[in-house]
Amino acid sequence: METYENDSYSDESDCEDLHVPQLADDVPEEADDELDRELQAAHAAGLLTSTFIRHVPAPKPQINNKAGLEQKIEEMQQTDLDWSERLDVTIDVSEYKTAGDDEEGAESGKFDVNNDFKREVVFYEQAKSSSLFALDKLHKAGINTKRPEDYFAEMAKKDDHMKRLRQKLIIIQKRKEEADRNKKKL
């Protein structure tokens, strides 16, 4: 094995080749101004790519077209349609805002929106009371909500297609049973 006189790593000889960047605090103001001018010139010449300079778009102005919004709401209200054609239901949600087991929520009158379980229970209760209200309103209007016993609905798939599906399901079931019997034999 070859040995050299100086096996240690020499910091002095290698440091000459390395470029150590200076921090902003170490740069004098004149050099900083010179760097800025160089960057501006490079940018003007198109030498810098967009990854170095990020253009921040101006924020979009907020438009509050109250008259236009009210006009659209009026168009969407469908006042010319009967309720049985719209089936829209609005309930009072103030009774659900104080719902909950914790005393803090009941005292302040605010519902804890960070509790997912309680929030889902409130959604469930609101949907349930809305549907019960709508069903009651439909029954009062004399509209049937259940399908008659002798109701005949057209099938989406033809009888031939359903017959082929049943045959495939029977074949799959037989294969499973045969595989189970073979496992028991082993």
Side-chain angles (χ1 to χ4, degrees):
M1 180 172 176
E2 294 181 37
T3 59
Y4 297 101
E5 291 177 14
N6 189 3
D7 281 343
S8 66
Y9 181 83
S10 173
D11 289 336
E12 295 171 9
S13 63
D14 291 338
C15 283
E16 295 171 6
D17 297 338
L18 294 175
H19 172 68
V20 179
Q22 294 179 339
L23 297 176
D25 295 340
D26 299 340
V27 178
E29 279 191 40
E30 298 89 31
D32 194 27
D33 290 341
E34 185 179 327
L35 287 173
D36 285 346
R37 277 187 247 117
E38 288 176 6
L39 283 173
Q40 289 172 358
H43 178 63
L47 299 174
L48 297 178
T49 61
S50 63
T51 56
F52 293 124
I53 298 174
R54 188 182 80 191
H55 297 283
V56 179
K60 293 182 179 179
Q62 291 184 347
I63 300 171
N64 188 10
N65 186 359
K66 191 172 182 179
L69 290 173
E70 288 175 354
Q71 179 187 359
K72 287 296 177 185
I73 289 173
E74 195 175 309
E75 287 175 15
M76 293 181 350
Q77 285 192 354
Q78 301 175 347
T79 54
D80 57 333
L81 296 177
D82 189 34
W83 180 83
S84 61
E85 294 178 22
R86 293 182 317 230
L87 295 178
D88 55 348
V89 177
T90 306
I91 61 166
D92 183 22
V93 293
S94 61
E95 64 186 79
Y96 300 107
K97 286 186 179 180
T98 57
D101 298 334
D102 58 326
E103 294 296 322
E104 293 175 14
E107 289 175 7
S108 65
K110 293 184 178 179
F111 183 73
D112 183 18
V113 296
N114 296 323
N115 188 338
D116 288 342
F117 180 72
K118 287 184 181 177
R119 199 171 72 227
E120 289 296 326
V121 168
V122 168
F123 290 156
Y124 169 77
E125 291 295 329
Q126 286 177 346
K128 183 174 133 184
S129 63
S130 297
S131 60
L132 290 174
F133 174 77
L135 281 172
D136 187 40
K137 199 169 181 179
L138 287 169
H139 288 293
K140 286 180 182 175
I143 299 172
N144 290 332
T145 57
K146 293 187 178 181
R147 187 172 22 183
E149 293 292 328
D150 60 345
Y151 180 78
F152 178 74
E154 186 71 29
M155 300 267 304
K157 297 183 179 183
K158 301 289 181 195
D159 290 336
D160 296 340
H161 182 73
M162 294 305 292
K163 187 176 179 181
R164 280 184 269 141
L165 284 176
R166 273 190 231 111
Q167 289 173 350
K168 285 182 183 179
L169 289 173
I170 290 171
I171 290 171
I172 291 171
Q173 183 67 29
K174 286 182 182 179
R175 286 181 185 164
K176 284 182 183 179
E177 290 173 1
E178 189 176 324
D180 287 341
R181 275 188 267 130
N182 290 338
K183 284 181 185 178
K184 290 179 183 179
K185 287 181 182 178
L186 293 177

